[in-house]
């Protein structure tokens, strides 16, 4: 992260702790920042990095259930969408509510493949819209890259 932010990185003469402190300082002093910690299944590892002040927004996705160590007492649990809701989400999010039967069938297959996970559905829908591909094309592309 320090490298991407063009901050000093850990070297033989600079400790990892110093680089982490530099990143945390940047997060605390920069406006309009969203830090996404995806798959943070060991929340205690985030403790050193998370900003303690400032205007940084933090989104943590995790399979863990206890975040009290990070000062988060009441985490929001995001559950899988039921299959039909997942399909409807894909169709609405991509503006394809009135699509034909083949595209609708592909939306069903994609919702099934993604297990109704809201973040995965959103990412897939964003890709479909941005790249102007069909759900079937997305399924083919994603299976190639797995």
């Amino acid at each position: 992260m320090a490298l991407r932010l063009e901050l000093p990185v850990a070297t033989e003469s600079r400790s990892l702790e110093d680089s982490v402190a530099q990143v945390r300082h940047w997060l605390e002093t920069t406006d309009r920042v969203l830090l996404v910690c995806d798959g943070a299944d060991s929340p205690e590892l985030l403790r050193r990095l998370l900003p303690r002040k400032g205007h940084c927004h933090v989104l943590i996705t995790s399979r863990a259930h206890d975040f009290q160590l990070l000062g988060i007492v009441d985490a929001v649990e995001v559950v899988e969408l039921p299959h039909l809701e997942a399909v409807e989400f894909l169709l609405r999010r991509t503006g394809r509510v009135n699509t034909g039967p083949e595209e609708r069938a592909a939306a069903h297959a994609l919702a099934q493949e993604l297990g109704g996970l809201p973040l995965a559905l959103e990412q897939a829908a964003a890709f479909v819209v941005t790249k102007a591909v069909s759900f079937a094309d997305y399924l083919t592309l994603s299976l190639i890259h797995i």
Side-chain angles (χ1 to χ4, degrees), residues 34-89:
L34 172 62
L35 174 63
V36 178
C37 303
D38 186 29
D41 294 338
S42 300
E44 65 278 1
L45 297 178
L46 296 177
R47 192 174 188 185
R48 302 181 310 175
L49 178 65
L50 295 181
R52 297 179 183 122
K53 60 182 179 179
H55 300 288
C56 180
H57 297 275
V58 180
L59 173 65
I60 301 170
T61 66
S62 177
R63 290 186 182 104
H65 297 282
D66 184 3
F67 293 91
Q68 291 186 41
L69 183 67
L70 301 177
I72 301 169
V73 179
D74 192 22
V76 175
E77 184 176 357
V78 179
V79 296
E80 299 89 11
L81 294 176
H83 181 72
L84 291 178
E85 284 184 40
V87 173
E88 286 304 311
F89 172 82

